Amino acid sequence: GSGKHNNWSMGTDTGENLMDPGDTPAENAQFLFFCAAVIKAVKKHQGLLRASVANVGQDHRLGANEAPPAIMSIFLGAELESAFERIVLGEGEQPEAGVLTLGTDVLPPLPKDSGDRNRTSPFAFTGNKFEFRAVGSSQSVSFPLTVLNTIAAEAIDALATTLAAKLGTRRSQKAIDEALRETIAESYRAHKAIVFNGDGYGAAWHAEAEARGLLNLKTTPDALAPLTDAKNVAVFEAYDVLSRAELCSRREILEEQYVKTINIEAATTESLARTLVLPAALRMLTEVGEAAATVATFGLDDAGPRALAASIVGPVNTLQTAVGTLARARHDAHSAENEMVAMRDGVLPAMAAVRQACDALECQVAADLWPLPTYREMLFVK
């Protein structure tokens, strides 16, 4: 998938992992509280998480070759999801005095390395941590981590405030049990739409995600747009992480990187087509024409060479047209008000058309004339 798995958890200053379910009822309750906070954070700021891993390479990668889709969702696994559902439905047994259970005093074993191995999930719980699986190979994990830590802090802050309000001046174990159960249940019920354990590649999930109100920001221009929304600016400023100006600066840099990367790739595509592929195809046509003349001199049937020439002429004309279209698209993109959108909607399709024409010629031009490594050579020979 050409990406990274960013293993992420939270701990105390004494080294306790807050994402470890533990073996005791009290640890279960603590774990479920913090896990509920993470679910809330990812649901509320799914667009911000997507923006944190946006670049032109990700537009190709996400949703293919074991890379998760652009839709942010959380994989909890059947056991953990069931535990949350029990709390929401209030199906747990009443706790004994002095034991903090929330009705889940014995969580089923949650393996450290999840046996499901659901590589289609962008944010998966794997035993004692979450894996954010949507970071691109060329990206630093610093900004995704900054986002995760900030939105988790906000969610924990909100749940702790809710819990404190429910408790009031009460401090009995029963009161704590009730307040915790209500807080976790309310939060999970409000944000459970982000939880999905199935196939993230399937068309059914894309339709279901839309029905759930989840974002599907497939391209970088779409993903970066919400980065400086008021909601996202507010969370960074509330915790003194980034100011509005700093966030806008990062967005501007990411947009510029997107435009420059595509422009370089487009210029390279145009150059390769003009200086390597087209000359090779024309040389092939020349040799085929000479072969047809030679065959005719000896009174032989020249239908074969003529048919070969005809099969090359079409892709050559198509390639010349595609290269011209690409050159105009690059020029138009730089004069557009929104260069990113112009690159995405104009230049990228023009590049794809050039590539398609080159692929067609690769199957027709003689191997000794073809100037680039072929797919067959790259995949099966060398």
Side-chain angles (χ1 to χ4, degrees):
S2 188
K4 300 186 182 81
H5 283 193
N6 184 6
N7 292 279
W8 178 86
S9 187
M10 296 181 287
T12 67
D13 56 2
T14 59
E16 181 181 3
N17 182 3
L18 298 174
M19 290 290 99
D20 190 342
D23 298 320
T24 66
E27 289 174 350
N28 289 348
Q30 174 180 278
F31 160 72
L32 289 168
F33 177 85
F34 285 103
C35 191
V38 174
I39 294 169
K40 173 184 174 72
V42 175
K43 173 61 169 64
K44 181 177 179 180
H45 293 289
Q46 54 186 292
L48 187 53
L49 276 177
R50 173 66 180 94
S52 74
V53 295
N55 71 14
V56 64
Q58 291 284 76
D59 293 356
H60 294 290
R61 185 181 83 92
L62 293 179
N65 302 320
E66 288 198 345
I71 304 169
M72 293 293 110
S73 65
I74 294 179
F75 170 82
L76 290 179
E79 297 88 355
L80 184 52
E81 184 177 7
S82 176
F84 275 108
E85 291 293 339
R86 286 178 59 196
I87 294 174
V88 169
L89 297 174
E91 293 180 351
E93 298 178 359
Q94 290 299 316
E96 299 176 4
V99 179
L100 193 61
T101 67
L102 305 184
T104 59
D105 52 320
V106 180
L107 281 176
L110 301 175
K112 294 293 188 258
D113 190 5
S114 176
D116 187 272
R117 308 300 293 169
N118 188 338
R119 285 300 184 263
T120 70
S121 174
F123 201 84
F125 181 75
T126 55
N128 62 357
K129 64 185 182 302
F130 282 94
E131 286 186 15
F132 187 27
R133 294 167 171 163
V135 184
S137 61
S138 65
Q139 295 176 308
S140 167
V141 298
S142 59
F143 189 52
L145 278 173
T146 298
V147 170
L148 277 171
N149 292 340
T150 304
I151 65 177
E154 180 196 47
I156 294 168
D157 196 351
L159 289 189
T161 300
T162 300
L163 179 61
K166 289 181 180 296
L167 276 174
T169 58
R170 300 179 300 164
R171 290 295 181 270
S172 69
Q173 193 65 60
K174 183 177 180 180
I176 293 174
D177 284 352
E178 291 176 353
L180 261 175
R181 183 194 296 271
E182 291 176 6
T183 301
I184 294 173
E186 289 171 3
S187 181
Y188 182 75
R189 188 182 298 112
H191 302 100
K192 63 182 292 186
I194 200 73
V195 176
F196 178 67
N197 292 338
D199 179 9
Y201 286 170
W205 165 235
H206 286 238
E208 182 182 340
E210 183 178 1
R212 292 187 186 192
L214 302 184
L215 300 174
N216 188 4
L217 306 173
K218 295 182 179 180
T219 67
T220 297
D222 294 330
L224 291 182
L227 187 58
T228 51
D229 286 352
K231 177 182 72 173
N232 295 328
V233 172
V235 67
F236 281 115
E237 290 188 334
Y239 296 92
D240 295 323
V241 178
L242 292 171
S243 68
R244 175 183 292 275
E246 290 170 326
L247 198 57
C248 288
S249 172
R250 280 160 174 76
R251 175 178 171 177
E252 184 176 339
I253 290 169
L254 291 170
E255 290 174 343
E256 184 177 348
Q257 288 176 340
Y258 179 86
V259 170
K260 286 187 174 180
T261 299
I262 293 180
N263 187 53
I264 291 170
E265 291 178 351
T268 304
T269 299
E270 184 182 342
S271 176
L272 288 172
R274 287 190 189 278
T275 64
L276 293 176
V277 178
L278 275 173
L282 293 175
R283 290 191 190 102
M284 180 69 179
L285 279 174
T286 300
E287 291 195 7
V288 171
E290 292 173 352
T294 301
V295 167
T297 299
F298 288 98
L300 301 175
D301 184 4
D302 64 348
R306 284 190 290 107
L308 180 56
S311 70
I312 298 173
V313 169
V316 166
N317 289 332
T318 300
L319 180 56
Q320 288 178 314
T321 301
V323 170
T325 301
L326 176 57
R328 289 191 298 274
R330 287 181 58 218
H331 173 77
D332 293 342
H334 289 299
S335 61
E337 182 178 349
N338 191 332
E339 284 187 276
M340 284 215 312
V341 173
M343 287 287 177
R344 180 193 66 189
D345 297 344
V347 176
L348 287 177
M351 288 172 62
V354 172
R355 180 253 176 93
Q356 188 175 14
C358 290
D359 288 349
L361 284 170
E362 181 181 309
C363 299
Q364 301 294 334
V365 175
D368 61 323
L369 295 177
W370 189 253
L372 300 167
T374 65
Y375 286 119
R376 183 180 67 85
E377 289 171 341
M378 289 188 291
L379 294 175
F380 304 114
V381 178
K382 296 181 180 180

